[in-house]
Structure formats: C-alpha cells, structure tokens
Amino acid sequence: MPEPHESTAVSNDNYGLLRADCANCFGLCCVALPFSASVDFAVDKQAGQRCHNLGDHFRCGVHQDLRKIGYRGCTVYDCFGAGQQVAQVTYSGKDWVKAPETARHMFEVFPIMRQLHELLWYLTEALELEQTRWIHEALRSLRDETNRLTSLGAEALLILDIAAHRANVNVLLLQTSELVRASVQRQPKGSRGRQKSYGRGADLIGANLRGADLRGAHLRGAYLIAADLREADLRSADLIGADFRDADLSGADLTGSLFLTQFQINAAKGDSHTKLPKSLDRPPHWTATA
C-alpha cells in the first residue's frame, strides 16, 4: 500500500476544508460524473465524458445561467471539498489534461473521496454536540481514521472498502441521533403544530407539513420531494439522506437539525425567513420572501 500524502481534509476550521473550492479542482464533477437528460440536466452525459460547458482552467463557462439553460442539477451538487483534495493532494496538482494517463483513475477516485468527505462532515458535526460527549472519544477516533483514509494514494483508495467504512461510521451516527433526539422536549398536547412519528425512508412526497412540529423527528432517508414544510420546526430532527428536492422550506426552522448538508438545502426551496445551521449557506436561488 502506498505511503499516504499529507492530508488537508480536516482543520481547526472544522468545516472549512470540507467545502468545495472549485478554483483548486480540475472540474472533476463536470467530467467524472454521469447525468441524464431530465428536469435537472439538459442533455445526457456519460461518466468520464467532459461536459461541453466546461471551459479553460476547469471553470464552467455558463455558471451564472445554469438554472436558466436547464442545468439545475449542477447548482445543487456539492462535493464536500473532495474535488480539491483529489486534485491537490491525491494527485499533487497534476491535472488530467496535461497528464491524460491519470484521467481514468482520477475520475474513479473522486466519488470515493466524496464519500469520505461526506462522512467527515457528519463526524465533525457529531463532535460539536454536547449530547454526544459520552461517545466523543469514539467519534474522534473514527474521524481521525476517516481523515487518514483521505490521505491515501490513488491505488489504495481504489481498493478501499468504502461500504464497510460507511457502515462503521453509521453505527456512531445512529447513536448520535438517538442521544440528540432523546433530549428533545416535545410540545405539550394541544399546542401549535402537529407531532407525528416517522420511520426511516418515510414516503412524504408532496406531504402537507406546513407548521408541523418535527423536532427530534426520525427522518433519515425520508422522501420529502415537493413537500410543504413552510414554517415547520425541524430542530434536532435527523435528516441524514432526506430528499428535499423542491420541498418548500420557507420560514422553516432547521437550526440544530442533524446531518443536514448543503446538497440537500440546494435542492430545496426557501426564503430569507428560513433558519439554517451556521455551517450551511443560503442558496442564491432562494427567494427573498415566501
């Protein structure tokens, strides 16, 4: 197994290096990933095929108009900083154009690195929570191990059992979820909002959840596509893997929600009254008001 490179994945800035830095990437998401013609993409593109919008210096030539010309999916995607990690650390700044022999493996490494960075995001969040102090040592150990994996060379990353590692991380993320949600004090009966229990992968497509009290809800992998979540209270809700495509989060409170990512927020609708965790940015396509 090759010696690991110096890792840049986690720093004292917590999430800083887990955010996409396109200026230090090689346009990997624009080449490595496939997409199909749909409401999110104007055309079909195979994995490893360069997007025709990718210009010189690996920058998108139509970035400001992506949503207007049928590439909404590009404005939703987030790599958790995996792009610059692969470009600048795994391949030491050697790009796939000048070194075409690296292209195939680089494109295969990129989605593996993205999974590792996503796990680092969740573990970093879990370590910031007071309720998880009982498992901080285990969380820190697994975050350090995940960080070590991001520094491996390309050959080692390609044979990494990422599914097994995700399973190990998930055990602690489930414990985190249980500890946080168990500490939530639900509203007394008869107060404003609706309270209901949901299971993993709940089908809530198009559901009317306006004003719902979803504090501490178990919404892992929930299908919330086009759901009305205006003014809903989602504090301390476990939202890992929840599908928020076209869900209306106008006025909703997501502060303190668990495992919410920029990718999920980008796919949703919202406004200036939507309350987000400090680690996330308000998408530019959101409206000023509902």
Side-chain angles (χ1 to χ4, degrees):
M1 182 177 292
E3 289 294 318
H5 300 283
E6 181 181 358
S7 176
T8 64
V10 176
S11 72
N12 292 330
D13 189 22
N14 289 343
Y15 300 99
L17 294 170
L18 298 178
R19 302 180 192 279
D21 179 5
C22 298
N24 284 300
C25 182
F26 300 147
L28 294 178
C29 63
C30 305
V31 186
L33 306 179
F35 52 73
S36 301
S38 62
V39 294
D40 291 320
F41 296 101
V43 298
D44 294 323
K45 188 187 85 65
Q46 297 180 346
Q49 176 185 349
R50 180 173 183 156
C51 176
H52 65 275
N53 293 318
L54 185 63
D56 296 334
H57 307 296
F58 306 112
R59 305 308 292 268
C60 177
V62 293
H63 179 72
Q64 298 300 323
D65 299 314
L66 285 169
R67 296 183 77 86
K68 295 179 182 178
I69 63 176
Y71 288 88
R72 184 178 67 166
C74 295
T75 68
V76 172
Y77 184 77
D78 180 59
C79 74
F80 296 97
Q84 67 262 25
Q85 181 76 8
V86 171
Q88 302 302 327
V89 178
T90 312
Y91 284 89
S92 303
K94 182 186 298 183
D95 70 69
W96 52 270
V97 173
K98 295 178 181 178
E101 71 279 2
T102 67
R104 184 171 67 85
H105 280 171
M106 189 181 298
F107 300 157
E108 292 174 354
V109 164
F110 174 61
I112 296 171
M113 187 67 75
R114 184 188 182 276
Q115 291 187 66
L116 291 172
H117 273 229
E118 181 181 3
L119 294 176
L120 282 172
W121 181 281
Y122 296 145
L123 290 166
T124 298
E125 178 181 338
L127 275 165
E128 294 181 339
L129 302 170
E130 173 63 23
Q131 298 95 323
T132 62
R133 61 188 181 279
W134 313 108
I135 58 171
H136 272 189
E137 184 176 348
L139 285 167
R140 191 173 294 106
S141 176
L142 200 47
R143 187 185 67 171
D144 290 346
E145 171 61 12
T146 305
N147 192 42
R148 184 190 69 80
L149 293 176
T150 67
S151 69
L152 293 175
E155 294 179 9
L157 285 165
L158 288 171
I159 62 173
L160 175 66
D161 190 344
I162 187 65
H165 187 67
R166 286 189 73 99
N168 290 335
V169 172
N170 192 51
V171 172
L172 286 181
L173 298 185
L174 283 169
Q175 290 182 38
T176 296
S177 176
E178 291 168 0
L179 288 167
V180 172
R181 291 186 296 108
S183 69
V184 174
Q185 296 295 316
R186 305 305 297 274
Q187 287 184 348
K189 188 175 182 180
S191 60
R192 180 180 180 275
R194 299 191 299 276
Q195 297 177 354
K196 186 176 180 181
S197 297
Y198 298 102
R200 183 186 181 97
D203 184 353
L204 296 169
I205 297 175
N208 178 14
L209 295 168
R210 184 170 187 174
D213 178 8
L214 297 169
R215 287 177 299 163
H218 188 274
L219 292 170
R220 282 187 157 230
Y223 294 96
L224 290 158
I225 302 168
D228 185 353
L229 287 160
R230 287 175 292 173
E231 302 173 2
D233 192 343
L234 288 149
R235 288 175 293 172
S236 297
D238 186 344
L239 303 176
I240 196 168
D243 192 338
F244 281 100
R245 282 177 292 169
D246 291 324
D248 194 341
L249 296 172
S250 300
D253 190 347
L254 296 115
T255 55
S257 58
L258 283 174
F259 308 131
L260 184 65
T261 67
Q262 194 66 49
F263 183 86
Q264 292 167 293
I265 287 298
N266 290 346
K269 301 174 183 177
D271 65 7
S272 60
H273 299 293
T274 306
K275 297 178 181 178
L276 295 173
K278 293 181 180 180
S279 59
L280 301 180
D281 299 319
R282 195 174 304 276
H285 61 269
W286 279 16
T287 58
T289 56

